[in-house]
Amino acid sequence: MARKITQQNNFFYTTLALIALLLSASLVKEMPDGVLEFIIEAFTTVTFIVCIFSLRFDNAWYRFMATLLGGWMVAIIVRNVTDIEMMDNIILILMFLFYGGTFRSIARQILFTGQVDANKVIGSIALFLLMGLMWAIIYILIVALSPHAFNGVEAAPWREMMSQFAYFSFVTLTTLGYGDISPATPFAQVIVYMEAIAGVFYMAIVVASLVSAGLAQTQDNQGN
C-alpha cells in the first residue's frame, strides 16, 4: 500500500521524482523518433504533479505552482498541435519558473528551521537537483539564442539536449569540470562560472544550516 505524502516524508517523493526525470532524459538516444517527446513530457508532468502534492503544505506557493503546471501543459499541447518552434522557449521558461518556485518553497521549509531529520536531509538533495536542472534549462535557452555557445553540444530540440546539459550542469555545480563540454562564448562562460560559485556556496549554506539546526536541537534536548 502506497504511503501517503506528509510533511514528514514529502521530500523523499520530490527527490525520487527528480531522479526519475533525470534518468528518463538519459534514455533519449535509445528511444525511437516520436517516443522521445512522449517520454520526456510524461516524466516532466509526473515530476511537476509530485512536486505540487509534496509542497501543498506551503499554501503561498501551492497555487502558484499549480498555475504554472496548467500553463506548461497548455504550452505543450499548443506546441504539439501547431508545431510553433517558439513555444519550446516558453515551455523551458515555464519549467525554469516551476523548478525555481519548488526550490524556494523547499528552502523555506528546511534551511535554518526546525529539527534536523531524514526528510530535511533528503530535501537538501532535492534542492541540489533543482539547482542543476535550472542551470541546465538556462544553458538550453542560451543555445536556442546562440547555437555555437558551447563546444561539444550540437543545437537540437530541448528534449534532445536536456540530458547533455543536465550532465554538464551537475559537473559544473560540483566543480568537477571534465572538459568534454565547454562554453565557447563570453556570456556562456559567465553563466558557467556563476553556477560553479553557486554550487560552492550551496554546500556551505546547507552544512551551516544543518549544523545550526542540529546544535539548537541538542541544546533543547539538554535543556529539557
Side-chain angles (χ1 to χ4, degrees):
M1 186 175 185
R3 294 180 61 188
K4 182 179 179 181
I5 299 178
T6 68
Q7 286 183 287
Q8 286 69 47
N9 64 15
N10 55 338
F11 300 136
F12 283 89
Y13 291 92
T14 303
T15 303
L16 288 175
L18 293 171
I19 292 173
L21 176 62
L22 291 170
L23 289 174
S24 70
S26 70
L27 299 175
V28 166
K29 301 300 183 183
E30 309 298 327
M31 295 293 175
D33 294 338
V35 178
L36 167 62
E37 294 184 7
F38 172 77
I39 293 294
I40 297 296
E41 291 169 2
F43 270 91
T44 302
T45 302
V46 170
T47 301
F48 286 0
I49 292 173
V50 172
C51 288
I52 288 177
F53 273 99
S54 299
L55 302 177
R56 70 183 186 277
F57 309 104
D58 187 352
N59 293 326
W61 285 96
Y62 177 76
R63 297 184 185 87
F64 174 72
M65 308 296 284
T67 301
L68 283 178
L69 173 60
W72 186 82
M73 295 183 70
V74 169
I76 287 292
I77 294 172
V78 173
R79 175 67 174 92
N80 292 333
V81 171
T82 64
D83 204 32
I84 300 175
E85 293 185 1
M86 186 179 295
M87 291 302 300
D88 281 338
N89 292 339
I90 295 176
I91 290 169
L92 288 169
I93 291 171
L94 289 172
M95 289 173 65
F96 180 86
L97 292 174
F98 189 94
Y99 291 139
T102 303
F103 183 95
R104 181 182 176 90
S105 179
I106 295 176
R108 288 175 56 188
Q109 296 178 58
I110 72 171
L111 295 181
F112 301 101
T113 60
Q115 296 183 344
V116 178
D117 55 19
N119 193 44
K120 279 197 171 185
V121 174
I122 296 298
S124 68
I125 297 175
L127 288 179
F128 192 79
L129 295 177
L130 287 165
M131 284 182 64
L133 283 168
M134 284 189 290
W135 247 282
I137 292 172
I138 292 174
Y139 296 143
I140 295 173
L141 288 170
I142 291 175
V143 171
L145 298 175
S146 177
H148 303 292
F150 288 88
N151 298 315
V153 178
E154 295 183 3
W158 70 269
R159 300 166 187 83
E160 299 179 24
M161 293 190 292
M162 178 59 76
S163 178
Q164 287 178 293
F165 276 117
Y167 156 76
F168 174 69
S169 178
F170 285 108
V171 166
T172 303
L173 200 58
T174 54
T175 66
L176 289 175
Y178 288 133
D180 48 348
I181 301 175
S182 60
T185 63
F187 180 74
Q189 290 169 354
V190 170
I191 300 301
V192 169
Y193 71 65
M194 289 298 291
E195 180 180 15
I197 293 172
V200 172
F201 272 91
Y202 174 79
M203 294 297 183
I205 291 172
V206 168
V207 170
S209 171
L210 295 177
V211 170
S212 175
L215 289 174
Q217 184 176 334
T218 301
Q219 291 175 354
D220 289 341
N221 292 336
Q222 291 176 345
N224 294 331

